């Protein structure tokens, strides 16, 4: 039966709002701004609230949100609960939906972003050099090395070390071809580039139906490092599109705005610096709570220093005499809880300060008492002024929580350790329950599992910092394989646990890692971890492997192989190091070495179908036809939906001349993934073998519609156009391929052939010379240069090139026939 009766949350919210006093000028300035049209020069598009902890920034931001809602605005509030731009957008869409406005396109893309990240290893599976029209050696090395960072296993997030740099996005065009579409590639490689334009489009649609849209970004001292550059682009450039004029942004943090970045935006921004309450404001709040007795008021003012959160907390008690407020020697906690005469409530408030984020399950783990009593206590705690609710969890204000933690740690070190141990066990039990529905390789990909692991790790560090630190540091290393968003949470965990537990070593290491991550990204973080290792840490092998991934990503294959060797010397059974070394060796053309590593991978991890598929792909690259087909067929048997394995087997069949089998495999792969650009382009080669040039061009057109900046695909279509006599059109594709990859030998050779067909023999010779400078043993380019030299009348040069071509590729019959004919 429905009811119009308000919920407890609504009533609590109303009471808190009714009691909001002070900050009159700040609220008035914001309210006046909403009365001004965006075109009015007095209107401000950005408000920045800043001040020390405890001055009431969050309360003011929430009040500004309510003012905006009353003015008919659509609002979204984001705080430190997010660790990246996609997470921030996800929070916004949920809040917009709660106000009756669905951002459906953005919701769809955010869901796709999560799915594509989970699928990235399979979607970014390795491809090898293709015959004469394959990718250039330099570009192929970048693409291959990037895949080393992907981990090459179907474990979500294990690719992220390679995804944090623009170099991957710029240099791995063939890597992108493995995604379902260009959008999928961008969703994983640079999600904000895909998501932000859709956000702006959805905001523009919403802007026509509401008076204002207000975005509130709180705790900016924590979210600013990743949100501030993005916000600056959104508000001051057209990089992502146009932001509606009736959008107002509120940011709030401990520090003033970054004038180096936002200096030119000063005329469009209002700063709202906050200090402690003035005496008048504090007296007003106390009077509103019924505290008017002058000795009591004076004592509250003395003890709180005007900090709003403390004034509010003491005012809630309604003290009737200064002795009930506290005395000069009282601890900060006594100031907060002395007014609470119920010892059960007092103990509950203290114990509930222990978790960083508090839900009812954690509360029950740390607060003793009957079931109904615990539920009542939790409801009471939610009403306290120093407790805020974010994302369904409670969080103490830092100014209140810090002394509560210190009091408990100093008063009873054993009780402190016991309570944190109980909480760690509670989180650990919930984590184990979450694992029951997941494979081990899915744990880190699951956000709920990670949150439980974080809670468990925090309480272990607080209970026994020295004993827990090595295992948590190992988790930091593992988190490095899952991208900035994930590792940032673990680094923050170390800093917070070190501070709360007064564990200097943990606090210092957390600060160092935080600075390294902010200054140099994951590569610098890993470097610091290895530089500070003692030599016996169990995570060192993984760290060396992760650094090797990063080196391989940048094309430093020799150094990467050295680091993989270091990792394996420490842990000979580390699968990711064997697999990474295999891919790096393959990138350098050492297919036999890669296959030896993959044999070892299969010994260590025989049940992972991806491993046998990867070995099959390397057999294909090494032109071991029978072994490639055998492994890929076994991989398909184990995983019938692996479009990569089907396409790879199709490529093996095509190279071997079994065109019917190749066509069947490519057709099946494209049924599973219709927008599979690489499979489309490779099927084009089957049509070439079957003499169906129209279908060949059609498949390549589709592939390039999906991947327009794909140099290999451009060269392939240029070849398809050239063999049908459309050399002038082919030149455009070759030109584009060389813009994308200036060292692409095949594109130079093919363009030289088309230039020769168009009668431009000198230009053709220049291109073919360039192709052979890049690849001296390129048989087809030698044969093409021989034709050009014949047309230029250079018969000795023609014969020399043909002999070199035959020496380079003795099995190429058509070159032998050409030599015989001349």
């Amino acid at each position: 039966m429905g009811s119009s009766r308000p919920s407890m949350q609504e009533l609590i919210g109303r009471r808190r709002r009714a009691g909001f006093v002070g900050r009159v000028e700040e609220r008035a300035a914001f309210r006046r701004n909403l009365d001004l049209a965006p075109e009015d020069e007095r209107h401000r598009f950005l408000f920045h609230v800043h001040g020390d902890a405890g001055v009431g920034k969050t309360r003011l931001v929430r009040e500004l949100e309510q003012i905006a809602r009353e003015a008919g605005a659509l609002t979204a509030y984001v705080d430190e609960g997010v660790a990246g731009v996609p997470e921030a957008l996800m929070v916004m869409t949920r809040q917009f939906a709660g106000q009756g406005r669905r951002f459906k396109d953005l919701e769809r893309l955010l869901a796709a972003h999560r799915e594509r990240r989970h699928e990235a290893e399979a979607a970014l599976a390795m491809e090898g050099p293709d015959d004469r029209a394959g990718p250039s050696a330099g570009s192929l090395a970048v693409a291959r090395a990037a895949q080393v960072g992907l981990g090459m296993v179907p474990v979500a997030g294990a690719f992220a070390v390679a995804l944090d740099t623009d170099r991957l996005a710029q240099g791995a065009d063939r890597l992108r071809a493995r995604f379902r579409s260009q959008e999928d590639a961008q969703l994983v490689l640079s999600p904000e580039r895909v998501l932000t334009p859709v956000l702006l489009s959805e905001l523009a649609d919403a802007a026509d139906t509401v008076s204002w849209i207000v975005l509130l970004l709180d705790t900016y001292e924590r979210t600013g490092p990743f949100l501030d550059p993005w916000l600056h682009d959104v508000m001051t450039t057209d990089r992502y599109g146009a932001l509606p004029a009736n959008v107002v942004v509120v940011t709030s943090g401990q520090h003033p705005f970054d004038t180096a970045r936002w200096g030119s935006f000063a005329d469009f921004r209002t700063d709202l610096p906050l200090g402690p309450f003035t005496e008048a404001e504090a007296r007003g709040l106390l009077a509103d709570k019924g505290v008017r007795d002058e000795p009591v008021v004076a004592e509250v003012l003395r003890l709180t220093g005007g900090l709003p959160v403390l004034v509010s907390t003491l005012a809630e008690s309604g003290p009737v005499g200064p002795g009930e407020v506290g005395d000069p020697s009282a601890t900060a906690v006594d100031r907060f809880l002395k007014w609470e005469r119920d010892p059960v409530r007092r103990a509950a408030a203290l114990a509930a300060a222990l978790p960083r984020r508090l839900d009812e399950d954690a509360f029950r783990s740390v607060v003793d008492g009957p079931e109904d009593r615990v539920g009542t206590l939790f409801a009471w705690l939610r009403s306290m002024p120093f407790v805020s609710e974010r994302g369904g969890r409670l969080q103490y204000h830092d100014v209140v929580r810090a002394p509560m933690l210190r009091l408990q740690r100093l008063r009873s070190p054993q009780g402190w350790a016991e309570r944190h141990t109980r909480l760690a066990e509670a989180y650990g039990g919930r984590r184990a329950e979450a694992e029951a529905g997941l494979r081990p390789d899915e744990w880190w990909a699951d956000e709920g599992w990670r949150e439980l692991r974080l809670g468990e790790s925090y309480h272990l560090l607080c209970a026994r910092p020295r004993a827990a630190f090595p295992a948590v540091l190992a988790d930091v290393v593992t988190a490095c394989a899952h991208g900035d968003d994930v590792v940032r949470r673990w680094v923050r965990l170390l800093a917070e646990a070190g501070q709360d537990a007064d564990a200097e070593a943990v606090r210092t290491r957390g600060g160092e890692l935080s600075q390294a991550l902010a200054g140099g990204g994951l590569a610098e973080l890993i470097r610091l971890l290895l530089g500070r290792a003692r030599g016996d840490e169990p995570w060192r092998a993984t760290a060396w492997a992760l650094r090797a991934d990063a080196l391989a990503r940048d094309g430093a294959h020799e150094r990467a192989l050295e680091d993989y060797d270091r990792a394996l010397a420490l842990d000979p059974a580390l699968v990711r190091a064997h697999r990474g070394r295999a891919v790096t060796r393959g990138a350098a053309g050492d297919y036999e070495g890669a296959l030896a590593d993959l044999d070892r991978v299969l010994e260590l991890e025989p049940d992972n179908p991806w491993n046998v598929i990867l070995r099959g792909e390397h057999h294909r690259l090494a032109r071991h036809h029978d072994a490639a087909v055998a492994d890929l067929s076994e991989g398909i048997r184990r995983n019938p939906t692996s479009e990569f394995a089907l396409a790879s087997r199709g490529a093996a069949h095509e190279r071997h001349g079994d065109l019917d089998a190749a066509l069947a495999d490519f057709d099946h792969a494209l049924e599973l993934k219709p927008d599979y650009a690489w499979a489309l382009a490779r099927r084009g080669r089957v049509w070439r073998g079957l003499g169906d040039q129209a279908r060949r061009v059609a498949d390549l057109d589709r592939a390039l519609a999906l991947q327009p900046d794909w140099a290999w695909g451009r060269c392939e279509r240029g070849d398809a156009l050239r063999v049908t006599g459309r050399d002038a059109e082919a030149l455009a594709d070759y030109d584009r391929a060389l813009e994308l990859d200036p060292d692409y030998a095949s594109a130079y050779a093919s363009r030289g052939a088309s230039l020769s067909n168009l009668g431009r023999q000198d230009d053709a010779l220049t291109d073919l010379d360039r192709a052979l400078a890049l690849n001296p043993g390129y048989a087809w380019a030698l044969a093409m240069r021989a034709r050009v030299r014949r047309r230029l009348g250079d018969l000795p040069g023609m014969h020399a090139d043909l002999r070199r071509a035959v020496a380079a590729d003795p099995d190429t019959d058509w070159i032998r026939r050409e030599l015989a004919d001349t």
Side-chain angles (χ1 to χ4, degrees):
M1 179 176 177
S3 173
S4 60
R5 181 177 296 172
S7 67
M8 179 187 299
Q9 293 93 324
E10 290 172 327
L11 290 174
I12 291 172
R14 288 180 190 176
R15 292 180 188 176
R16 285 182 172 177
R17 291 209 63 242
F20 192 98
V21 298
R23 311 308 184 195
V24 175
E25 293 182 4
E26 291 84 357
R27 290 185 288 161
F30 186 76
R31 189 178 284 109
R32 285 195 302 270
N33 194 65
L34 298 181
D35 292 333
L36 299 173
E39 295 80 11
D40 193 313
E41 291 188 357
R42 294 170 295 171
H43 178 78
R44 295 294 180 262
F45 298 100
L46 177 63
F47 286 77
H48 182 58
V49 180
H50 59 93
D52 294 336
V55 297
K57 297 185 296 296
T58 294
R59 288 197 71 197
L60 176 60
V61 169
R62 285 301 200 180
E63 177 69 8
L64 299 184
E65 180 181 28
Q66 189 61 35
I67 291 171
R69 292 251 185 120
E70 291 171 352
L74 183 68
T75 71
Y77 172 89
V78 176
D79 61 14
E80 80 273 18
V82 304
V85 171
E87 287 188 21
L89 299 187
M90 197 176 307
V91 168
M92 291 180 189
T93 59
R94 289 171 181 167
Q95 295 184 20
F96 291 149
Q99 297 165 66
R101 182 77 196 195
R102 291 285 301 278
F103 280 28
K104 294 181 180 179
D105 290 342
L106 185 55
E107 290 173 9
R108 175 186 61 81
L109 279 177
L110 285 166
H113 166 69
R114 293 193 300 270
E115 293 172 4
R116 294 299 87 80
R117 285 183 67 92
H118 288 184
E119 297 169 359
E121 287 78 15
L124 289 176
M126 189 186 66
E127 66 182 48
D130 300 293
D131 298 341
R132 60 166 187 79
S136 70
S139 182
L140 176 64
V142 174
R144 290 286 188 74
Q147 293 168 36
V148 177
L150 308 187
M152 301 307 296
V153 288
V155 180
F159 56 95
V161 170
L163 302 186
D164 294 318
T165 67
D166 289 338
R167 282 171 289 188
L168 176 60
Q170 295 167 353
D173 53 307
R174 281 158 304 285
L175 186 63
R176 294 167 180 270
R178 293 296 189 178
F179 285 100
R180 299 179 183 180
S181 66
Q182 179 76 359
E183 183 179 84
D184 279 356
Q186 290 292 332
L187 271 174
V188 173
L189 298 170
S190 301
E192 69 283 352
R193 296 183 185 178
V194 178
L195 297 171
T196 308
V198 179
L199 168 70
L200 298 183
S201 176
E202 302 256 36
L203 287 173
D205 291 342
D208 294 333
T209 64
V210 295
S211 56
W212 297 99
I213 299 172
V214 178
L215 308 178
L216 305 106
L217 310 178
D218 202 1
T219 56
Y220 212 57
E221 67 275 8
R222 292 180 177 174
T223 60
F226 54 87
L227 284 183
D228 198 55
W230 171 80
L231 181 64
H232 182 268
D233 281 347
V234 167
M235 296 191 71
T236 68
T237 76
D238 60 359
R239 178 180 181 183
Y240 301 115
L243 185 66
N246 61 339
V247 172
V248 175
V249 177
V250 178
T251 56
S252 172
Q254 293 185 8
H255 312 300
F257 231 49
D258 182 357
T259 55
R261 174 174 285 142
W262 291 87
S264 61
F265 206 68
D267 292 342
F268 309 95
R269 185 184 79 240
T270 292
D271 281 329
L272 298 178
L274 297 187
F277 273 163
T278 65
E279 182 175 336
E281 288 173 326
R283 285 179 176 275
L285 187 148
L286 290 169
D288 186 67
K289 299 294 184 180
V291 181
R292 296 182 176 88
D293 184 68
E294 182 55 32
V296 176
V297 171
E299 186 67 358
V300 170
L301 295 176
R302 183 184 70 81
L303 291 174
T304 64
L307 279 179
V309 66
L310 304 187
V311 175
S312 299
T313 299
L314 293 181
E316 286 290 337
S317 67
V320 297
E324 293 191 357
V325 178
D327 57 58
S329 63
T331 67
V333 176
D334 287 334
R335 298 173 195 173
F336 307 145
L337 296 181
K338 185 172 182 177
W339 45 265
E340 182 51 65
R341 295 171 176 83
D342 184 340
V344 176
R345 282 185 173 183
R346 182 185 178 94
L350 280 169
L354 296 176
R356 295 189 308 160
R357 309 285 185 274
L358 184 68
D359 58 22
E360 194 161 354
D361 289 333
F363 187 78
R364 292 178 185 279
S365 299
V366 76
V367 175
D368 297 319
E371 186 76 11
D372 58 342
R373 176 65 162 155
V374 172
T376 302
L377 286 170
F378 188 71
W380 163 79
L381 188 65
R382 291 176 58 186
S383 70
M384 291 296 97
F386 55 81
V387 175
S388 60
E389 188 163 357
R390 300 177 183 179
R393 298 179 183 177
L394 305 186
Q395 183 173 338
Y396 279 41
H397 196 290
D398 289 344
V399 171
V400 176
R401 181 171 180 258
M404 285 188 174
L405 294 179
R406 185 171 184 273
L407 173 69
Q408 295 179 83
R409 190 180 69 246
L410 296 178
R411 179 177 291 174
S412 175
Q414 184 175 347
W416 164 273
E418 289 174 352
R419 282 198 175 99
H420 277 293
T421 299
R422 284 171 57 186
L423 282 162
E425 290 172 349
Y427 276 103
R430 292 164 63 187
R431 173 184 55 77
E433 291 175 3
E435 290 172 358
L438 301 169
R439 298 193 312 270
D441 60 4
E442 294 175 327
W443 293 348
W444 279 87
D446 186 83
E447 183 178 354
W449 181 93
R450 292 198 306 266
E451 286 300 315
L452 294 169
R453 180 77 163 192
L454 277 168
E456 179 184 14
S457 299
Y458 170 80
H459 292 295
L460 287 172
L461 282 170
C462 287
R464 290 176 175 79
R466 182 174 298 180
F469 184 65
V472 177
L473 203 58
D475 272 359
V476 173
V477 174
T478 303
C480 288
H482 295 260
D484 279 359
D485 292 357
V486 176
V487 76
R488 190 180 288 118
R489 295 181 187 276
W490 252 265
V491 170
R492 186 188 298 170
L493 168 80
L494 282 175
E496 292 182 3
Q499 180 68 33
D500 295 345
D502 194 27
E504 179 62 28
V506 177
R507 179 171 56 240
T508 300
R509 184 63 64 89
E512 291 173 347
L513 294 178
S514 181
Q515 291 179 5
L517 183 62
L522 290 171
E524 178 63 16
L525 180 66
I526 295 169
R527 186 198 66 77
L528 180 62
L529 284 166
L530 287 168
R532 296 296 172 85
R534 299 189 307 272
D536 58 346
E537 288 87 347
W539 48 262
R540 288 178 67 243
T542 299
W544 281 115
L546 287 169
R547 196 177 84 153
D549 292 348
L551 290 169
R553 172 201 68 208
D554 293 334
H557 296 137
E558 290 186 6
R559 292 177 61 201
L561 290 172
E562 290 173 359
D563 279 358
Y564 285 126
D565 289 344
R566 290 188 178 100
L568 291 168
L570 292 166
D571 184 356
L574 186 58
V575 172
R576 73 168 299 127
H578 283 290
R579 189 163 31 226
R581 190 170 68 176
V583 179
T584 306
R585 285 175 166 173
D590 180 9
Y591 301 124
E592 299 304 326
L595 288 167
D597 272 328
L598 289 168
D599 287 342
R600 179 62 175 144
V601 167
L602 277 161
E603 290 176 10
L604 294 167
E605 198 177 70
D607 295 330
N608 186 341
W610 175 245
N611 292 333
V612 70
I613 293 171
L614 184 60
R615 189 174 67 177
E617 171 69 352
H618 276 83
H619 277 304
R620 182 183 76 83
L621 297 175
R623 304 202 178 192
H624 302 160
H625 173 73
D626 292 341
V629 170
D631 271 351
L632 292 167
S633 298
E634 174 61 16
I636 293 166
R637 185 190 68 79
R638 297 189 194 182
N639 182 8
T641 61
S642 173
E643 69 275 1
F644 168 72
L646 285 160
S648 182
R649 190 175 68 176
H653 284 314
E654 183 271 327
R655 176 176 285 159
H656 197 61
D658 191 348
L659 300 182
D660 290 337
L663 187 60
D665 276 344
F666 285 127
D667 287 347
H668 191 183
L670 288 162
E671 287 173 8
L672 293 168
K673 191 166 87 170
D675 293 336
Y676 194 171
W678 189 83
L680 284 165
R682 292 308 300 254
R683 189 171 69 175
R685 290 195 162 193
V686 177
W687 297 128
R688 178 188 67 182
L690 294 172
D692 193 335
Q693 298 298 337
R695 286 184 173 176
R696 179 187 181 191
V697 172
D699 271 353
L700 288 164
D701 285 344
R702 282 183 61 195
L704 286 168
L706 296 165
Q707 303 288 343
D709 296 333
W710 185 15
W712 183 83
R714 289 281 178 182
C715 193
E716 281 287 292
R717 189 171 68 176
D719 289 348
L721 295 170
R722 176 173 50 79
V723 299
T724 58
R726 298 160 65 181
D727 287 285
E729 296 174 66
L731 287 180
D733 274 335
Y734 296 139
D735 289 345
R736 181 57 181 150
L738 288 167
E739 287 176 11
L740 294 166
D741 186 352
D743 293 329
Y744 195 170
S746 292
Y748 281 112
S750 293
R751 189 172 71 175
S754 277
L755 288 168
S756 179
N757 292 342
L758 293 170
R760 297 167 57 182
Q761 306 305 330
D762 289 337
D763 291 337
L765 189 61
T766 298
D767 270 355
L768 289 161
D769 286 346
R770 175 61 174 157
L772 288 162
L774 291 165
N775 184 1
Y778 194 167
W780 189 84
L782 286 163
M784 290 300 101
R785 192 170 70 176
R787 285 186 178 180
V788 172
R789 284 181 164 167
R790 181 176 62 185
R791 290 169 181 172
L792 289 171
D794 181 8
L795 296 184
M798 175 194 71
H799 283 291
D801 277 345
L802 287 174
R803 284 192 292 270
R804 284 180 59 193
V806 171
D809 193 351
D811 296 328
T812 305
D813 292 338
W814 72 270
I815 297 180
R816 288 185 172 278
R817 289 196 298 272
E818 183 104 0
L819 181 61
D821 290 343
T822 57

